[in-house]
């Protein structure tokens, strides 16, 4: 049975690597599918085995998840900065247009 657990844990780690690749490729549909599948597999694994089984492997999985979450936060912050810059540019263009329309 330990080999089955190891296979599942490796599959969970592979999910996170695939998720990282999908995020980097901006394939949001694929990323969503991976997250959903990963969540179901992880919940089933924990329900069947508990969290005490294969603790080092679960800790490594958690570390991998935290690194991925940190990357997603970086991407979110970059996107937010781009949106703020876009809004500022739009306001500047509107102000210039309004100033040009004045006598």
């Amino acid at each position: 049975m330990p080999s089955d657990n190891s296979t599942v844990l490796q599959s969970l780690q592979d999910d996170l690597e695939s998720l990282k690749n999908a995020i980097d490729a901006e394939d949001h549909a694929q990323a969503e599918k991976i997250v959903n599948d990963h969540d179901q597999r992880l919940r089933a694994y924990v329900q069947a085995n508990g969290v005490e089984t294969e603790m080092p492997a679960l800790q490594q999985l958690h570390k991998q998840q935290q690194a991925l979450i940190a990357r997603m936060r970086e991407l979110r912050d970059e996107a937010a900065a781009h949106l703020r810059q876009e809004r500022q540019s739009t306001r500047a263009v509107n102000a210039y247009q309004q100033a040009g329309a004045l006598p």
Side-chain angles (χ1 to χ4, degrees):
M1 199 58 123
S3 63
D4 287 342
N5 285 345
S6 296
T7 301
V8 172
L9 288 168
Q10 183 60 51
S11 175
L12 290 167
Q13 290 176 343
D14 292 345
D15 286 347
L16 295 178
E17 186 63 29
S18 295
L19 178 57
K20 178 186 173 297
N21 293 337
I23 289 168
D24 288 343
E26 297 184 14
D27 187 345
H28 304 293
Q30 181 65 18
E32 182 179 2
K33 181 184 179 327
I34 293 168
V35 166
N36 290 333
D37 292 346
H38 176 79
D39 182 61
Q40 288 176 359
R41 273 199 291 274
L42 180 58
R43 286 175 188 272
Y45 176 84
V46 170
Q47 187 174 23
N49 299 289
V51 293
E52 298 303 321
T53 307
E54 305 273 347
M55 185 56 80
L58 285 174
Q59 288 172 332
Q60 177 58 35
L61 185 65
H62 183 257
K63 184 178 176 181
Q64 193 176 357
Q65 287 172 334
Q66 293 303 310
L68 186 55
I69 289 168
R71 176 68 179 134
M72 291 169 68
R73 284 184 180 132
E74 288 173 10
L75 293 170
R76 176 204 59 199
D77 293 346
E78 288 174 15
H82 287 295
L83 288 172
R84 278 191 302 276
Q85 187 176 26
E86 181 66 28
R87 282 192 301 269
Q88 288 176 330
S89 296
T90 300
R91 283 193 298 265
V93 166
N94 289 337
Y96 283 121
Q97 286 176 339
Q98 287 177 355
L102 295 176

